[in-house]
Amino acid sequence: MNHDHFLEIESQISYIALKQFRLIFKAIQQHSKLAEIECGVTCAQLWAIWEIFKKPGIKVTDLAKAMSIHHSTTNTLVNKLAKKGLVAREKCLKDNRVVTLSLTENGRTLIINNTLEPRGILQQALFKMQDGELEQLSEKLDTLIDLMRVNYDEIS
């Protein structure tokens, strides 16, 4: 096999992978637009509402863990949901620093009447994968992230 042929094959595989990522991103964007049109909330907000629906009285820190997002991002998300009248916050009587979350009547109605996957299509697909598949995917994504020289601390 000559050098040019190897580079051509390598390039084709890279383009296929790039196309796959674009397809994933586009599908996520379309699902997000649909969520905003049908529910009036973003996919992340819909997921947060779902998690609160499943666990009324959930702490903000536990919601952040359930959604794999930073605590400050969770606070911003909860603030927006509270302004929309979908989520209520309550300070814990034992410790004023602890805030628990519950859905308002509007929030419960939204999630009960929702027809979309509340966690988003990417999360749902990941949850459907077998452990071995997820481990392989995670390893390959770690390699990709390392090659991109992404600093986790700067983006999380």
Side-chain angles (χ1 to χ4, degrees):
M1 183 182 297
N2 69 30
H3 182 69
D4 289 338
H5 182 69
F6 175 76
L7 290 176
E8 183 179 318
I9 292 170
E10 184 180 64
S11 176
Q12 288 173 358
I13 294 169
S14 297
Y15 286 126
I16 290 168
L18 184 58
K19 187 175 182 178
Q20 289 169 323
F21 272 105
R22 286 186 176 141
L23 182 63
I24 291 167
F25 294 143
K26 187 170 184 150
I28 292 168
Q29 288 173 334
Q30 287 175 344
H31 187 264
S32 185
K33 284 180 187 176
L34 190 59
E36 290 194 52
I37 291 167
E38 289 191 15
C39 303
V41 295
T42 66
C43 278
Q45 291 170 342
L46 186 60
W47 188 6
I49 292 168
W50 173 249
E51 293 296 332
I52 297 166
F53 177 74
K54 288 191 323 184
K55 296 178 185 169
I58 190 171
K59 297 176 192 171
V60 176
T61 53
D62 293 334
L63 179 60
K65 287 177 191 171
M67 296 180 68
S68 298
I69 57 177
H70 196 273
H71 188 272
S72 63
T73 304
T74 309
N75 278 326
T76 302
L77 191 62
V78 169
N79 287 341
K80 290 179 182 179
L81 290 171
K83 282 183 183 177
K84 290 183 178 200
L86 300 171
V87 169
R89 287 190 195 103
E90 294 178 32
K91 289 192 177 194
C92 185
L93 295 175
K94 295 177 185 175
D95 186 348
N96 254 356
R97 297 170 296 173
V98 177
V99 176
T100 60
L101 305 170
S102 60
L103 295 181
T104 63
E105 191 59 39
N106 287 341
R108 277 190 293 284
T109 300
L110 185 147
I111 202 67
I112 289 169
N113 294 331
N114 173 51
T115 59
L116 298 174
E117 171 50 52
R119 293 179 291 195
I121 59 173
L122 177 59
Q123 292 87 337
Q124 184 61 23
L126 291 171
F127 292 141
K128 288 179 180 178
M129 292 178 74
Q130 299 294 317
D131 287 348
E133 294 171 320
L134 283 170
E135 287 172 12
Q136 289 176 354
L137 178 61
S138 181
E139 288 174 13
K140 299 301 180 187
L141 289 173
D142 276 342
T143 300
L144 180 61
I145 290 166
D146 288 343
L147 291 170
M148 292 172 64
R149 297 186 175 142
V150 174
N151 183 341
Y152 288 101
D153 296 331
E154 291 176 3
I155 59 170
S156 47

